[in-house]
Every structure is written in C-alpha cells, then in structure tokens.
C-alpha cells in the first residue's frame, strides 16, 4: 500500500488529499498533517478580522472520509519520513508539499501591528477593532489585494473609524483605469489613501514613513507574502525566495517522491511564471499534484502542469467590488465588472472554493497560456 502524506491543509492540500482519496483505490492511504484541526478560509480573513464572518471551517464535511488527519507541526522532511514537533516520525511513500504562504517579514516594529495573513493576526484584529473609540485612526499598510480588501472591509463595518491605506501605490499591477476605479471606490467607502509613501517602521503610536510619522491607534500589516522555510531546513532544493523547486509536473527536482503544490512551490518559468500566490492557482495545483502522485504510483510519467488564470476579484466591503478579467497568462483584459454585481460574483466565487474541494474528481481548470486545446473551466478565485 502506498502511503501519501500531505503536509499542509490549505486550499492546495485539501484538494490534493480529497482527489487522491476520491479515486477509491484500496492500495493508497492518505494522511494530512497540519498544525490546526480546522480549515482556514484565507480569502475571508479580512472579513473575519472586521467581524463580518468566521473564516474557520470544520474539516468534517470538507475532507474526504477516508483521509486521516494528524494535528501536528512538521519540523523536517527526510528521505522517506517527516519528523514532527516533539520527535515523532511519520513514514511516507510519496509526499505532497503544501505548506502554503504567510506574511513576509515586515519593517522594524511589526510586533506593534496586527497581521492579516493568518488566523492569529486576523483574530487579534477582530478583538482590537471593537475597543477603538469613534474617530480612532486605523492605518493599513499595503496596497495589494489583501490591504485593499482589509481597509475597505474595516471602513464598511466600522464607519466611525478613520481608516487609512498606506502604500507606494494601490493595485499598481493593474491598468491605470482599473487603479483609478479602485481608488475612487476606496475613497467613497471612507478610506483615506496615502500613496507614494515608503514605510520605514511601525511604532506603538503610529507608522514611520519617508515623509514623517502617521499617527495610528491600530496598525494593520498587509504586506507581501513569503513562504515557510521547511523545504530549506530540510535540505530540499529551493528558489531564492524559499519556494520548493519542481519540474514541470510538480515533482521536486531532486526528490522523485516529493510533489509540490500551492503557494510554496516554484515550478519552471514556462509553466509557472504567471502564477500568483492565490487559491486560484493553489486549488488546481492541488488537483494536478494529486494526479501526478497517482501517475507515479502507477509507474507512469506524470503530465506537465498547464494552468491558466481567469481574473482578479476584489471585495470592497459587502456591497461593492471590482473584477479585472485577465488573459490566461494573468495579464489584464479590457473587460471589468464593478459595483454590487461584482460583489455578488466575488461572494459566489469564494463559496465555490469549498464546493470544488468537495467534488475533487469532477474539478477542472483553465489550461495554461501555451495550451492549444481548451478545457472546461471551474470558477477561478483569487
């Protein structure tokens, strides 16, 4: 019997585990190892932090009934086993590396800010916001999707607070017209934009920038993402940013029994250069990784990854949103969707992430930019 260990139970890990188990092979056993017993909907952490929803789902009903769960932290990956925190070991025949991403190191003083990249940070912010008096200043650092959604959500839930978004730019990767639309919507929602600034540090009473100190009663760090250093610590091949290096089938370049999926993986540029850290990429990577493992078990050569992007959906509170359609290489198309309709679409897309993991064998995804034959696309998400 082949024992497959999945390290990490985020979007990629759950999809992979379920797709493997749903095959119904009696000679394949699947164990998921994760520090938490629950599933965290990271795409809802900004809602959780603002008190609008709960971003935690019980794994019962989400994971396939035949998947075993080990609540533990993996300290190291060895040749055919993983060493768990506390010294226990778990043997594997194949391993799916799905450790996901977390907040990248921030400026000096980040301990004075609430993070938004994980449940602990979102939970801390959820408890802090109701304690603030009317007129208190909340400064969100970061002009990416996380910062935009967090600032808008706080402004929507707490209209009495003075919410500011600090960044060099807002949605700087999008076309100028899209950026202008998003900035206008943030301003309309009550978010004051502080663009063109570089944050140099965080203090208990404010945010230090190259233009001086911005007073803050509550600071939120919503900067870029990084990855855990498990692969590096385990002596596995990694890219400069710490992501596990794989071939075009997602097999680790130096370990044929390890398959990488999700945010913490760096496939070759010709199949993965356009992929953002997102569940839009993680879920299909999880499905493809499961198919890769099944091929390896059968002694067959796995298929190369082919994955295209569909768009970028941004929530701006509960009643407004913005969706930028993209080509499969993630470059912007002319079509955009805005307003209440975009908010409804974004919500349905978020709900579909859970549905897709519950029907893993039926899940299909958009092929990559170089694919010639289109494949039916499941709804893609950020």
């Amino acid at each position: 019997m082949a024992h497959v260990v999945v390290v990490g139970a985020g979007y990629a890990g759950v999809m992979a585990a379920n797709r493997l188990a749903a095959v119904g092979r009696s000679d394949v056993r699947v164990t998921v190892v994760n520090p938490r017993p629950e599933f965290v909907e990271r795409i809802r952490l900004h809602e959780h932090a603002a008190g609008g929803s709960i971003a935690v789902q019980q794994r019962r009903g989400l994971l396939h009934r035949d998947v075993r769960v080990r609540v533990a932290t993996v300290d190291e990956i060895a040749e055919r086993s993983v060493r768990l925190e506390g010294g226990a070991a778990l043997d594997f025949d194949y391993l799916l590396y799905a450790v996901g991403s977390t907040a990248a190191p921030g400026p000096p003083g980040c301990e004075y800010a609430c993070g938004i990249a994980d449940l602990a940070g979102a939970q801390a912010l959820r408890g802090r916001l109701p304690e603030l008096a009317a007129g208190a200043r909340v400064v969100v650092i970061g002009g990416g999707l996380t910062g935009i959604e967090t600032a808008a959500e706080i402004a929507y839930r707490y209209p009495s607070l003075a919410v500011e978004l600090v960044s060099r730019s807002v949605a700087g990767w999008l076309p100028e017209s899209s950026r202008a639309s998003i900035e206008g919507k943030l301003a309309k929602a009550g978010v004051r934009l502080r663009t063109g600034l570089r944050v140099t540090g965080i203090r208990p009473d404010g945010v230090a920038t190259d233009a001086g100190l911005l007073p803050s009663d509550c600071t939120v760090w919503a900067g870029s993402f990084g990855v855990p250093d498990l692969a590096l610590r385990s002596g596995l091949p990694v890219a400069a940013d710490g992501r596990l290096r794989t071939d075009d089938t997602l097999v680790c370049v130096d370990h044929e029994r390890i398959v990488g999926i999700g945010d913490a993986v760096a496939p070759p540029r010709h199949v993965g250069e356009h992929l953002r850290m997102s569940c839009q990429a993680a879920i299909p990577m999880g499905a493809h990784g499961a198919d890769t493992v099944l091929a390896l078990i059968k002694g067959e050569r796995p298929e190369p990854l082919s994955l295209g992007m569909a768009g970028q959906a941004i929530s701006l509170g509960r009643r407004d949103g913005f969706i930028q359609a993209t080509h499969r290489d993630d470059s912007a198309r002319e079509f955009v969707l805005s307003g209440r309709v975009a908010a409804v679409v974004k919500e349905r897309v978020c709900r579909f992430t859970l549905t897709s993991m519950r029907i893993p064998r039926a899940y299909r995804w958009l092929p990559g930019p170089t694919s010639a034959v289109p494949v039916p696309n499941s709804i893609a998400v950020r």
Side-chain angles (χ1 to χ4, degrees):
M1 175 177 287
H3 184 206
V4 182
V5 171
V6 183
V7 181
Y11 294 101
V14 170
M15 171 56 86
N18 284 352
R19 194 166 171 106
L20 284 167
V23 173
R25 291 185 53 154
S26 59
D27 60 342
V28 177
R29 178 164 57 97
V30 183
T31 301
V32 169
V33 183
N34 195 66
R36 301 185 60 87
E38 310 92 354
F39 175 78
V40 177
E41 289 188 85
R42 289 189 65 185
I43 55 177
R44 292 196 187 274
L45 283 178
H46 62 287
E47 299 175 39
H48 185 101
S53 67
I54 300 296
V56 178
Q57 293 278 340
Q58 296 301 315
R59 296 199 186 277
R60 182 179 300 175
L62 186 59
L63 271 175
H64 191 282
R65 64 181 180 276
D66 293 335
V67 174
R68 301 182 182 185
V69 179
R70 184 77 174 264
V71 180
T73 298
V74 174
D75 276 348
E76 185 180 8
I77 300 172
E79 183 68 22
R80 292 288 294 272
S81 67
V82 294
R83 182 169 58 82
L84 307 179
E85 188 176 58
L90 185 64
D91 295 337
F92 66 82
D93 295 296
Y94 295 93
L95 181 139
L96 280 155
Y97 185 82
V99 299
S101 59
T102 186
C110 256
E111 65 270 19
Y112 299 118
C114 293
I116 197 68
D118 55 36
L119 182 61
Q123 189 66 29
L125 184 55
R126 184 185 180 95
R128 175 66 177 139
L129 290 172
E131 299 174 346
L132 299 174
R137 301 178 70 168
V138 178
V139 177
V140 179
I141 304 171
L145 293 177
T146 303
I148 293 169
E149 292 190 327
T150 301
E153 195 74 27
I154 295 173
Y156 173 76
R157 297 289 178 184
Y158 293 91
S160 65
L161 299 178
V163 182
E164 301 183 9
L165 181 62
V166 181
S167 180
R168 286 190 177 276
S169 64
V170 173
W173 65 96
L174 293 179
E176 183 177 353
S177 58
S178 296
R179 295 199 305 270
S181 179
I182 292 169
E183 289 178 356
K185 287 175 175 294
L186 285 170
K188 184 179 178 181
V191 177
R192 182 177 182 182
L193 301 180
R194 299 273 198 169
T195 56
L197 299 180
R198 182 173 64 88
V199 174
T200 58
I202 302 174
R203 297 178 8 182
D205 60 345
V207 176
T209 75
D210 52 2
L213 180 69
L214 296 178
S216 176
D217 299 295
C218 176
T219 302
V220 182
W221 170 242
S224 59
F225 289 156
V227 298
D229 64 352
L230 177 59
L232 179 64
R233 287 189 284 110
S234 301
L236 297 173
V238 296
D241 58 3
R243 291 179 298 158
L244 179 74
R245 291 179 54 233
T246 72
D247 65 15
D248 59 5
T249 70
L250 298 183
V251 174
C252 178
V253 295
D254 285 346
H255 200 310
E256 62 183 10
R257 291 182 177 270
I258 295 177
V259 176
I261 52 177
D263 289 355
V265 174
R269 293 183 63 182
H270 68 279
V271 297
E273 183 179 22
H274 62 290
L275 300 179
R276 288 176 281 112
M277 290 187 179
S278 62
C279 69
Q280 182 177 172
I283 291 176
M285 286 179 75
H288 182 88
D291 294 349
T292 292
V293 169
L294 289 172
L296 294 173
I297 291 173
K298 295 175 186 177
E300 301 172 352
R301 189 187 187 284
E303 293 291 328
L305 175 69
S306 180
L307 171 55
M309 306 297 270
Q312 301 178 23
I314 306 172
S315 65
L316 297 162
R318 297 298 85 207
R319 298 174 183 171
D320 199 358
F322 187 87
I323 296 177
Q324 173 73 63
T326 67
H327 298 286
R328 288 182 290 175
D329 65 359
D330 206 34
S331 61
R333 295 169 57 191
E334 291 185 4
F335 178 78
V336 299
L337 195 62
S338 185
R340 186 65 180 267
V341 174
V344 171
V345 172
K346 171 64 186 289
E347 174 59 26
R348 291 185 178 180
V349 166
C350 289
R351 293 181 184 182
F352 186 78
T353 62
L354 300 182
T355 302
S356 66
M357 291 186 287
R358 293 188 176 109
I359 52 170
R361 295 305 297 172
Y363 180 73
R364 298 292 184 271
W365 57 93
L366 191 69
T370 59
S371 298
V373 180
V375 174
N377 179 37
S378 294
I379 298 176
V381 296
R382 179 175 65 80

